[in-house]
Amino acid sequence: MDFQGGETLLFNKPKGWTSFDVVKKIRNTIKIKKVGHAGTLDPLATGLLILCTGKHTKRISQIQEQEKVYRVLFRLGATTPSYDAEFPPENLKDTSHIRQSDVVEILPQFRGNIKQIPPLYSAVKVKGQRAYKAARAGKSLELKPRIVSVYEFALEAWESPESVQALVRCSKGTYIRSLIRDVGQTLGVGAYILELERIQIGEFLLADAWKIEDFVREFKS
């Protein structure tokens, strides 16, 4: 591979890694500085992360604009401050009355062009400061709603209200955590993400991605 000339690399980001952790690891492996990622994944999320090296870094903005596909496992009947499993669940609610059909019935209202408020624990900037930094410092911020596009939002599996799986195909800038929060609010019981995996960006597929340890083994000098 010609990393200096430019490569577009697909990786399966492990849980617990930041997107920059992956960039740093690959930089140290291939020994060039010009490496960037095309679309951040939350540390607790897994799945497709695209890195560009050398002259291919010019393609990053083009890749970022493409639609994304996620598989999400979530729980109804509780919330967390981050809308995912980073914090212990709180505001526990009875979900014995919630049926699979109740969730299916409300999903159409979350498709199309929708208004969405980003999570407080996110990288959105407010007055020059990252929202998650302000949140961790105990500061209160008012995040403004933005318009995002959700092309597909479909239930894939239902074990119980505490284990619901869905597929989401959406535009750049869509927060799946906010989407699940809004589902929980609409049902009146709260919701948060248990697991989130990005499986596609445009025509790039997770199935074609490197495991980081395999890449390092192959190209470490």
Side-chain angles (χ1 to χ4, degrees):
M1 287 191 179
D2 182 5
F3 298 118
Q4 195 71 52
E7 296 287 348
T8 298
L9 305 170
L10 313 185
F11 289 97
N12 187 348
K13 188 191 82 65
K15 183 179 288 189
W17 288 52
T18 68
S19 299
F20 185 71
D21 287 338
V22 180
V23 170
K24 185 177 178 181
K25 186 71 173 179
I26 300 311
R27 276 180 183 162
N28 290 339
T29 299
I30 63 178
K31 307 300 183 186
I32 70 169
K33 290 184 178 180
K34 203 167 186 181
V35 181
H37 66 78
T40 303
L41 270 179
D42 292 332
L44 292 186
T46 63
L48 182 58
L49 184 70
I50 299 177
L51 268 57
C52 295
T53 75
K55 294 179 181 179
H56 277 210
T57 54
K58 295 178 181 178
R59 303 179 180 182
I60 286 177
S61 59
Q62 179 185 354
I63 295 171
Q64 286 177 328
E65 291 297 325
Q66 298 183 58
E67 65 181 42
K68 281 78 172 177
V69 182
Y70 297 88
R71 179 163 284 119
V72 57
L73 181 70
F74 62 96
R75 173 188 174 183
L76 295 168
T79 62
T80 73
S82 58
Y83 313 154
D84 64 11
E86 179 180 353
F87 295 94
E90 56 190 21
N91 303 316
L92 273 63
K93 298 283 181 68
D94 176 34
T95 59
S96 60
H97 61 290
I98 301 291
R99 301 287 180 266
Q100 180 176 351
S101 58
D102 297 321
V103 180
V104 172
E105 186 178 342
I106 69 164
L107 290 186
Q109 65 186 273
F110 298 105
R111 300 183 190 123
N113 295 328
I114 62 172
K115 277 188 178 182
Q116 184 182 79
I117 299 175
L120 190 56
Y121 286 83
S122 67
V124 171
K125 280 190 175 182
V126 180
K127 296 180 180 178
Q129 185 177 20
R130 297 289 185 186
Y132 70 86
K133 289 186 177 180
R136 295 188 191 284
K139 299 178 182 178
S140 59
L141 289 178
E142 185 178 349
L143 298 180
K144 295 181 179 179
R146 55 174 67 181
I147 301 294
V148 298
S149 298
V150 177
Y151 311 113
E152 183 179 358
F153 189 7
L155 219 59
E156 282 195 321
W158 171 278
E159 291 184 18
S160 72
E162 287 75 39
S163 181
V164 187
Q165 184 174 294
L167 188 78
V168 181
R169 186 167 59 89
C170 58
S171 67
K172 170 190 175 184
T174 304
Y175 279 95
I176 309 302
R177 286 182 290 149
S178 291
L179 194 63
I180 298 306
R181 171 206 59 194
D182 293 346
V183 167
Q185 286 181 345
T186 301
L187 291 168
V189 295
Y192 69 94
I193 286 179
L194 298 171
E195 296 178 8
L196 179 65
E197 181 180 54
R198 185 159 64 194
I199 59 176
Q200 188 171 348
I201 301 175
E203 295 182 354
F204 298 104
L205 302 175
L206 175 60
D208 298 325
W210 284 92
K211 288 184 178 179
I212 293 172
E213 60 269 27
D214 290 343
F215 183 90
V216 171
R217 192 181 303 113
E218 182 78 18
F219 294 103
K220 191 172 184 179
S221 56

